Amino acid sequence: MSGIHLAVLGGKGKSFVSLLAVGGGGGGGSSFAYGGGGGAGGMNSTSGVVLTTGTTYTVTVGGGGSGGGEPVSGSGGSSSFGALLSVSGGGGGGAYYNSGSSGGSGGGGGGGSDPSGGFPGTAGGAGGSGTSGQGNAGGNGGPYNNGGGGGGKSSSGGAGGLGYAGDGGSGASWEGQGAFAGGGGAGGNPGQGSGGYGGGGTGGAVDVFATSGGTNTGGGGGGGGYDSDGTPGGEGSGKAGGSGVVIMKIKTASYTGTVTGSPTVTTSGGYTFVKWTSSGSYTA
């Protein structure tokens, strides 16, 4: 159905809206060394959705997953608009040697060890899988102290390899409301993985901190690098994923203004955009 309009069907008012939901991003992996990037929260949208006048729709906004976990960091929370649209949170990134979790987008695998003393290096962990229609898989960790990047809405996370950590997968934009669901970059040595477009955090490196996923973007957290001093919670620790978001687009003439959760309300071109950054509701 093209456009968004108000119709009267069978004597009962029904408004037609477009919706976006983004889950919370997964946390970046590892508490001490070379973690995988957190997967982006699942991202999906729909249009031509019917809201029945007088009905209250519960809006849930998922929180970001905790970073710095062993053997894998926390996954993000799911986001939804009533029963009309729901997405999963992003998978947490894996710690050193460990695999990332599956989610809306999958967390990246932790890095493996360097070859040394005539022995081959230990392979890194596998990236977690993404959810069809919501996101992509995380990248595999490499055997040279380089984790894999978390998956994003538009692309998978990059794999770690010799001399480089995996970048986070790219997110996507929606209706001029910003970019969302970028995967977290992985921790590595010597380099660090870049966060994906759409709020993905940057991975850590040797004595370089990772960064968290962007607030209300669903971006994955950056994977931990390495703290040469061995300080707990230092540069080797992955960071939290970003919280999610839910946005409704409705013709301004149809918008009731009956909301909870303190959403941000803007208008453009005859339409009203209602952006929930915390859980709430809308009454049609």
Side-chain angles (χ1 to χ4, degrees), residues 173-266:
S173 58
W174 185 80
E175 295 280 0
Q177 297 299 296
F180 308 96
N189 181 12
Q192 58 196 123
S194 298
Y197 167 78
T202 301
V206 177
D207 295 330
V208 176
F209 285 101
T211 63
S212 300
T215 303
N216 296 123
T217 67
Y226 182 76
D227 187 337
S228 60
D229 295 329
T231 304
E235 291 92 332
S237 184
K239 299 300 182 180
S243 50
V245 68
V246 174
I247 305 176
M248 177 181 72
K249 177 185 178 184
I250 184 170
K251 192 170 182 180
T252 299
S254 302
Y255 177 56
T256 67
T258 306
V259 296
T260 65
S262 301
T264 301
V265 181
T266 58

Side-chain angles (χ1 to χ4, degrees), residues 24-27 37-42 72-77 88-94 99-109 126-132 134-138 150-151:
V72 65
S73 286
S75 294
S88 301
S99 297
S101 294
S102 297
S105 283
S129 60
T131 301
S132 178
Q134 298 185 23
N136 289 279

Side-chain angles (χ1 to χ4, degrees), residues 100-195:
S101 294
S102 297
S105 283
S113 65
D114 285 330
S116 61
F119 295 96
T122 302
S129 60
T131 301
S132 178
Q134 298 185 23
N136 289 279
N140 295 332
Y144 299 96
N145 297 332
N146 288 291
K153 167 61 178 176
S154 298
S155 63
S156 298
L162 178 59
Y164 59 91
D167 294 334
S170 181
S173 58
W174 185 80
E175 295 280 0
Q177 297 299 296
F180 308 96
N189 181 12
Q192 58 196 123
S194 298

Side-chain angles (χ1 to χ4, degrees), residues 15-135:
S15 51
F16 294 81
V17 304
S18 295
L19 299 169
L20 171 75
V22 182
S30 192
S31 65
F32 73 97
Y34 310 126
M43 177 177 174
N44 204 357
S45 62
T46 187
S47 60
V49 176
V50 177
L51 303 185
T52 302
T53 299
T55 299
T56 297
Y57 298 87
T58 299
V59 176
T60 301
V61 175
S66 58
E70 300 282 342
V72 65
S73 286
S75 294
S78 60
S79 294
S80 61
F81 187 99
L84 301 175
L85 182 64
S86 180
V87 293
S88 301
Y96 205 35
Y97 307 127
N98 289 282
S99 297
S101 294
S102 297
S105 283
S113 65
D114 285 330
S116 61
F119 295 96
T122 302
S129 60
T131 301
S132 178
Q134 298 185 23

